[in-house]
Amino acid sequence: MRSDDQGNCKKEDLLLYAVTDRSWLNGQTLYAQVEKALKGGVTCVQLREKNLDEAAFLEEAKEIHDLCAQYGVPFVINDNVEIAVQINADGVHVGQSDMKVGDVRKKLGLDKIIGASAQTVEQALEAKEHGADYLGVGAVFPTGSKVDAVEVSHETVKAICEAVDIPVIAIGGITADNVKELAGTGICGIAVISAIFAQKDIKEAARHLKSRTEECGRENRQQKRRQTKGRAVQWIIKHAYLTWTVL
């Protein structure tokens, strides 16, 4: 479990969050692809399997969990709480139509990571209230990875970041070419599928995307400092004016 001031996951662990997909295996194993992504610098891995039978899912989850542990990277399972409990995964991510965050927390305990999808400020606040450690917000760009994805404006992403005090990552249609458009929204990282696993060189794709995401993070921090400085100047001017009028 992380220190109390950081919850169960650190923001830096969410910088480049890789979500697995079997669509682009091309003769490779998922294990091999995940290892390439880890070598490229991904900071968190989510195992997402919608069509695998439970026995195969369990075996795969054990193997990739052990792999992520070797690299010191958190391993999260999409939706399947029971398998997460069986293999002692680092956490679970649930969508709006999956098990409720509060129920997941009861099953996993207090020291596991719980991520929740959100498309609105209301959903974000509810997830945070019930114990979510981070939020995945999107789709921030058009995406083909999830057919039922709802597009979320960058203004809404920013509003969610401002409304909650837990980390927020963006997801949906993000690439190395458009990630900088998310600068200024307040996100701490991105979750991607095809931007890593659909690429010919998975390791290099992850490395390049991580670099671009770090640039976006620097712009976020610079903008936040400018906003803080601006508010401080406004406060000084306001109070200087009030003092002058009193005198």
Side-chain angles (χ1 to χ4, degrees), residues 31-45:
Y31 183 100
Q33 289 197 334
V34 171
E35 184 161 30
K36 289 176 182 178
L38 288 165
K39 288 179 177 178
V42 300
T43 58
C44 186
V45 173

Side-chain angles (χ1 to χ4, degrees), residues 34-220:
V34 171
E35 184 161 30
K36 289 176 182 178
L38 288 165
K39 288 179 177 178
V42 300
T43 58
C44 186
V45 173
Q46 180 192 129
L47 180 61
R48 183 173 181 265
E49 291 286 7
K50 295 298 185 182
N51 301 308
L52 209 60
D53 66 72
E54 284 291 296
F57 192 172
L58 178 61
E59 186 61 29
E60 179 181 77
K62 288 177 181 176
E63 292 176 351
I64 297 181
H65 178 218
D66 291 345
L67 175 64
C68 289
Q70 292 175 32
Y71 284 84
V73 168
F75 175 69
V76 173
I77 290 180
N78 179 273
D79 183 27
N80 198 316
V81 179
E82 299 305 325
I83 283 184
V85 171
Q86 287 183 64
I87 70 162
N88 194 30
D90 296 306
V92 169
H93 185 93
V94 289
Q96 286 295 311
S97 60
D98 299 327
M99 186 184 291
K100 297 298 183 184
V101 172
D103 294 330
V104 177
R105 179 61 72 198
K106 290 176 184 177
K107 284 181 172 288
L108 292 187
L110 298 176
D111 62 343
K112 295 296 186 181
I113 300 168
I114 297 179
S117 298
Q119 286 81 42
T120 67
V121 170
E122 291 73 23
Q123 290 174 355
L125 290 170
E126 181 180 6
K128 190 264 180 183
E129 179 66 24
H130 287 91
D133 293 296
Y134 74 87
L135 299 172
V137 178
V140 293
F141 298 107
T143 177
S145 297
K146 194 175 180 185
V147 294
D148 59 345
V150 176
E151 196 162 340
V152 177
S153 71
H154 296 180
E155 290 75 17
T156 297
V157 176
K158 184 176 181 180
I160 289 173
C161 290
E162 291 174 347
V164 298
D165 58 0
I166 57 176
V168 176
I169 57 176
I171 188 169
I174 301 171
T175 68
D177 294 328
N178 64 21
V179 65
K180 288 193 73 174
E181 294 179 35
L182 297 168
T185 58
I187 60 167
C188 70
I190 59 171
V192 295
I193 303 175
S194 61
I196 290 178
F197 293 112
Q199 308 309 307
K200 289 183 178 180
D201 189 335
I202 291 174
K203 178 181 175 181
E204 176 57 25
R207 187 205 63 76
H208 181 53
L209 189 55
K210 185 176 184 180
S211 176
R212 296 301 298 270
T213 307
E214 287 171 336
E215 291 175 16
C216 179
R218 284 192 289 271
E219 288 190 27
N220 271 332

